[in-house]
């Protein structure tokens, strides 16, 4: 029997909500939201990112992201600089304190996620979810292969918490 779209949507939504609840339970100990953790995660690459990229990575609308980044700046975890390539844009970066905070949070979340991570089919699951995301975006892959160089490249958070980089 073919799976109904509502069944898949229910399973994905349930899994996402349970995963966020589990991560948030760890982040609560450090007075950090999942959205702030996602922002810190993206900025941890040291490249600096514009507000659109941060909003996409944190799954937040622009006004909410601006508020969140303001809070992260007030906490001295993030700073903003004008983009040298386009002076009309602003890039956000982690401060040294923000990098320390992100490293602590990642360590704690990975510790909590460890048992779950070992019980999942790791790369297989990542591949299936990436293929599903591509198909939903209208860029489906063949039945045999996952995304190629032009496919979706998930951020660290989407690749799976707890995996060594």
């Amino acid at each position: 029997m073919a799976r109904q779209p509502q069944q898949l949507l229910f399973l994905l939504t349930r899994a996402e909500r349970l995963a966020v609840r589990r991560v948030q339970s760890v982040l609560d100990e450090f007075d950090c939201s999942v959205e702030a953790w996602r922002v810190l995660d993206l900025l941890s690459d040291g490249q600096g990112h514009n507000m659109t990229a941060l909003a996409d990575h944190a799954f937040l609308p622009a006004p909410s992201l601006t508020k969140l980044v303001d809070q992260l700046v007030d906490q001295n975890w993030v700073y903003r600089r004008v983009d040298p390539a386009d002076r009309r844009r602003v890039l956000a970066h982690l401060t040294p304190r923000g990098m320390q905070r992100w490293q602590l949070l990642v360590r704690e979340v990975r510790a909590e996620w460890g048992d779950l991570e070992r019980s999942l089919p790791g790369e297989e699951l990542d591949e299936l979810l990436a293929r599903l995301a591509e198909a939903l975006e209208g860029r489906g892959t063949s039945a045999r292969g996952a995304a190629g160089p032009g496919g979706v490249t998930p951020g660290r958070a989407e690749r799976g918490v707890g995996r060594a980089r």
Side-chain angles (χ1 to χ4, degrees):
M1 183 164 107
R3 181 183 1 240
Q4 297 297 314
Q6 64 271 27
Q7 292 168 315
L8 180 60
L9 187 58
F10 174 81
L11 290 172
L12 289 169
T13 300
R14 182 169 179 248
E16 188 268 345
R17 288 183 180 174
L18 291 168
V20 167
R21 189 179 308 150
R22 189 169 186 163
V23 169
Q24 187 62 65
S25 71
V26 174
L27 298 176
D28 283 345
E29 297 174 35
F30 301 95
D31 196 28
C32 183
S33 67
V34 169
E35 294 79 12
W37 180 63
R38 288 177 176 154
V39 168
L40 297 175
D41 174 62
L42 184 59
L43 295 177
S44 71
D45 68 6
Q47 302 298 307
H49 294 275
N50 65 39
M51 295 305 188
T52 301
L54 291 174
D56 289 346
H57 195 76
F59 300 103
L60 286 173
S64 299
L65 175 77
T66 300
K67 249 184 182 174
L68 175 59
V69 170
D70 287 345
Q71 292 169 356
L72 296 174
V73 168
D74 290 345
Q75 292 170 307
N76 193 27
W77 293 355
V78 171
Y79 69 94
R80 297 180 182 108
R81 289 288 179 260
V82 173
D83 183 349
D86 182 352
R87 300 201 48 81
R88 296 169 295 176
R89 293 182 1 170
V90 171
L91 299 178
H93 300 268
L94 282 185
T95 64
R97 183 173 183 223
M99 180 59 84
Q100 289 174 344
R101 175 55 58 140
W102 178 79
Q103 290 169 342
L104 169 68
L105 294 172
V106 166
R107 206 170 32 248
E108 294 296 322
V109 169
R110 283 180 178 162
E112 170 63 26
W113 206 261
D115 292 339
L116 177 64
E117 188 70 22
R118 286 185 286 282
S119 70
L120 293 174
E123 291 177 21
E124 237 178 88
L125 180 60
D126 291 354
E127 182 180 324
L128 286 172
L129 290 173
R131 287 174 56 199
L132 175 61
E134 288 174 357
L136 291 170
E137 287 179 334
R139 294 188 279 149
T141 60
S142 71
R144 291 179 21 210
V152 172
T153 304
R156 278 185 288 284
E158 287 81 11
R159 283 195 302 261
V161 177
R163 290 218 174 90
R165 291 197 273 155

